[in-house]
Amino acid sequence: MTGFRNASKDRPAARRGRRLAGAALALPLALTGLLTAGAGTAVAGPGQGPTAVVAMGDSYISGEAGRWKGNSLTNSGNRNGTDRAWTTGSSYDPAKVYGTTAANGCHRSDSAEVRSAGPIADVAVNLACSGAVTDNVFRSAAGGVALKGEAPQADQLAAVAASHDVRVITLSIGGNDLGFADIIENCAYDFVLWGSYCYDDQQYAVDQKIDGAMAKVGKSVDEIRAVMRAAGYADSAYRIVLQSYPSPIPRGAENRYTQSDWSRYNTGGCPFWNRDSDWARDSLVPQMANRLKAVATAKGVQFLDLRDMLQGREVCAKSSKLVSSTVPASATTGEWARWIDNNETQGPVQESMHPNYYGQLALGRCLALAVAQPAGSASSCRNTAGQDHTGMYLTAAP
């Protein structure tokens, strides 16, 4: 790992570049790219044509960081087998993982949750986009805003609902409205540059925003319902699964690097003080999960709690390892989230702090397990220590 850009004047620019990632296609691209599995079916709709499961929202569901099978300090070749974009020699092609969305930064990976979930439906459609906020989900007629050259996601959903029998819509949204990526960045800078804690200032900022953000998450659910009703779907004909966010960093006591030197940053890629790590893991992530669960309950949709999904598999967790020449890339021993690579020595910084390839396979398993539950249920998804994604299991949500 190399250091953060160490000039404080770069901080605002870096912040602008590190919005949470997700994935959403422009409407023409959605029709020609995402719906190819249903080619030959011009008209479908509720109860007719190929069934579909649809992902909507931000980077935590689009597949950001799906390029990586763990984290390695090696910056050449296939990076000890972690870089799925490696082609040959010194060549890398992110489109191998993100397809056409490697270019616009939506970063819909081939391992994204909706594609890793298995046979939930005939077709998996990923409309999520890296950096999406709730305004990017709303219909344009209801104030929705395009993102990265792509139409608002609810408008894209209308085309999918008309050409497929949509059975499941899974939604991850709200983190960017709260400035989750900015929180991560500010806390990292407080470790690297300022030698101070971030949790108090950042908690205050979250408290100021969270009511408004959750209201807009609720509106996102309403917008999805409006699109589906306009397409002729009864509310009972499909389910909406609203999900929360996992913590990409461990508690301070569970970090394998001491906070008294630079190993957390230069080796592990997790530059956070213990106090800030504890706050993120045990206060911020649960606060977001609890509020999202309340939205799901109020709107009558299913809730998938992911707060503990990466437990023990986080960046720098004691029970996980970096990949090296002697430690192979493995879902059973490696980290399931992408470290911070601020100087982009391996890939774009927007991938930082997102579930990686292994984490996305686990998310897909969580979704498959959730869909097997009653449509109005609330479940928490957890991993089994020492197992791959097949060891994921559900418990009752807190």
Side-chain angles (χ1 to χ4, degrees):
M1 293 291 293
T2 56
F4 272 84
R5 299 177 179 89
N6 58 11
S8 60
K9 63 184 176 64
D10 287 338
R11 188 171 179 177
R15 183 178 298 123
R16 289 193 297 271
R18 292 184 54 196
R19 301 292 301 274
L20 285 178
L25 290 180
L27 194 54
L29 183 56
L31 290 172
T32 59
L34 291 179
L35 307 185
T36 52
T41 303
V43 178
Q48 302 180 55
T51 60
V53 53
V54 182
M56 300 179 68
D58 56 32
S59 55
Y60 273 75
I61 198 169
S62 72
E64 185 71 80
R67 172 177 174 175
W68 304 97
K69 297 172 70 174
N71 299 307
S72 168
L73 291 167
T74 299
N75 288 327
S76 61
N78 65 7
R79 279 100 182 213
N80 293 128
T82 63
D83 193 347
R84 300 172 62 230
W86 183 71
T87 55
T88 183
S90 60
S91 179
Y92 303 93
D93 181 12
K96 288 181 61 180
V97 175
Y98 300 122
T100 57
T101 65
N104 74 352
C106 274
H107 282 187
R108 300 182 185 95
S109 74
D110 56 2
S111 58
E113 175 183 322
V114 73
R115 299 187 65 179
S116 298
I120 290 177
D122 298 328
V123 182
V125 181
N126 194 347
L127 301 179
C129 186
S130 181
V133 296
T134 48
D135 287 353
N136 304 127
V137 173
F138 306 159
R139 294 167 296 167
S140 57
V145 178
L147 177 66
K148 299 181 180 178
E150 301 186 357
Q153 293 177 33
D155 292 340
Q156 297 180 54
L157 175 63
V160 179
S163 59
H164 290 73
D165 179 12
V166 175
R167 298 292 181 83
V168 179
I169 300 170
T170 183
L171 175 66
S172 170
I173 201 68
N176 283 324
D177 295 73
L178 289 174
F180 195 31
D182 286 347
I183 292 170
I184 290 172
E185 180 181 345
N186 290 335
C187 290
Y189 271 109
D190 281 343
F191 179 90
V192 174
L193 294 179
W194 315 119
S196 60
Y197 295 135
C198 73
Y199 71 92
D200 46 359
D201 290 343
Q202 297 306 311
Q203 183 63 66
Y204 176 80
V206 168
D207 290 343
Q208 299 308 299
K209 296 177 182 177
I210 197 162
D211 287 346
M214 292 302 108
K216 295 185 103 176
V217 172
K219 181 180 175 180
S220 297
V221 174
D222 293 341
E223 288 289 290
I224 291 170
R225 290 279 195 221
V227 167
M228 298 300 285
R229 288 167 181 164
Y233 289 77
D235 291 353
S236 59
Y238 66 101
R239 73 172 71 194
I240 297 173
V241 181
L242 178 62
Q243 61 188 55
S244 67
Y245 298 89
S247 174
I249 59 174
R251 299 174 178 90
E254 296 168 352
N255 195 309
R256 64 177 178 265
Y257 302 103
T258 176
Q259 67 173 346
S260 62
D261 59 33
W262 288 99
S263 57
R264 281 194 180 177
Y265 173 45
N266 293 324
T267 304
C270 59
F272 306 103
W273 297 110
N274 283 350
R275 182 64 181 83
D276 292 336
S277 299
D278 292 346
W279 167 74
R281 178 66 179 85
D282 291 328
S283 294
L284 176 62
V285 169
Q287 180 183 16
M288 294 170 65
N290 293 339
R291 292 298 300 269
L292 287 165
K293 181 184 178 184
V295 172
T297 300
K299 297 297 180 180
V301 301
Q302 188 170 354
F303 179 63
L304 179 58
D305 191 337
L306 300 174
R307 73 181 78 187
D308 297 317
M309 173 255 170
L310 291 176
Q311 175 62 37
R313 314 303 186 103
E314 307 99 333
V315 177
C316 296
K318 284 182 178 178
S319 54
S320 297
K321 301 176 182 178
L322 291 182
V323 178
S324 68
S325 59
T326 58
V327 179
S330 168
T332 61
T333 61
E335 297 167 334
W336 286 11
R338 183 63 178 161
W339 60 11
I340 293 179
D341 181 13
N342 189 69
N343 280 351
E344 301 185 329
T345 56
Q346 296 185 357
V349 72
Q350 76 179 63
E351 294 175 313
S352 301
M353 298 287 112
H354 289 85
N356 62 20
Y357 173 76
Y358 298 133
Q360 288 172 26
L361 295 185
L363 286 168
R365 180 59 180 158
C366 290
L367 178 60
L369 291 170
V371 171
Q373 299 298 307
S377 61
S379 303
S380 178
C381 196
R382 303 168 185 263
N383 72 76
T384 301
Q387 294 189 25
D388 62 13
H389 65 282
T390 60
M392 303 305 293
Y393 65 95
L394 297 181
T395 63

